[in-house]
Amino acid sequence: MATPRDPALGPDRGLLNPEQLEQLRNFKIQTRIANERYLRTHKEVELLLSGFFREMFLKRPDNVLEFAAADAACDSYLPVV
């Protein structure tokens, strides 16, 4: 739970005003739409991600970052298209 801010400190400059919140909301929506369009036109991304996750869940490495770095250099689980 957040601690209430002391009013003597003045306004919290980290807060967004309503206009900024609306701009952020619209930006997030437009970004999600653009990402969805990209993924729909690039089916190979799904193959890459599903292959990576399959290998990761099968091998269950202790260091996922190291596994991902090594896996990026080897695409043996990808089908040839």
Side-chain angles (χ1 to χ4, degrees), residues 22-38:
E22 183 64 21
Q23 289 174 346
L24 178 60
R25 182 180 159 282
N26 288 333
F27 174 76
K28 288 180 176 182
I29 290 169
Q30 293 307 312
T31 300
R32 181 168 277 183
I33 290 169
N35 290 346
E36 184 68 27
R37 282 188 185 135
Y38 179 82

Side-chain angles (χ1 to χ4, degrees), residues 18-76:
E19 182 182 338
Q20 291 170 321
L21 286 171
E22 183 64 21
Q23 289 174 346
L24 178 60
R25 182 180 159 282
N26 288 333
F27 174 76
K28 288 180 176 182
I29 290 169
Q30 293 307 312
T31 300
R32 181 168 277 183
I33 290 169
N35 290 346
E36 184 68 27
R37 282 188 185 135
Y38 179 82
L39 291 174
R40 287 181 186 202
T41 59
H42 294 278
K43 299 294 184 184
E44 67 276 14
V45 174
E46 184 178 350
L47 289 173
L48 288 167
L49 292 174
S50 64
F52 171 76
F53 281 120
R54 179 181 178 280
E55 290 294 309
M56 184 187 63
F57 288 130
L58 287 173
K59 295 179 181 175
R60 300 191 181 271
D62 291 329
N63 187 330
V64 175
L65 293 177
E66 188 176 286
F67 173 78
D71 190 63
C74 175
D75 60 0
S76 61

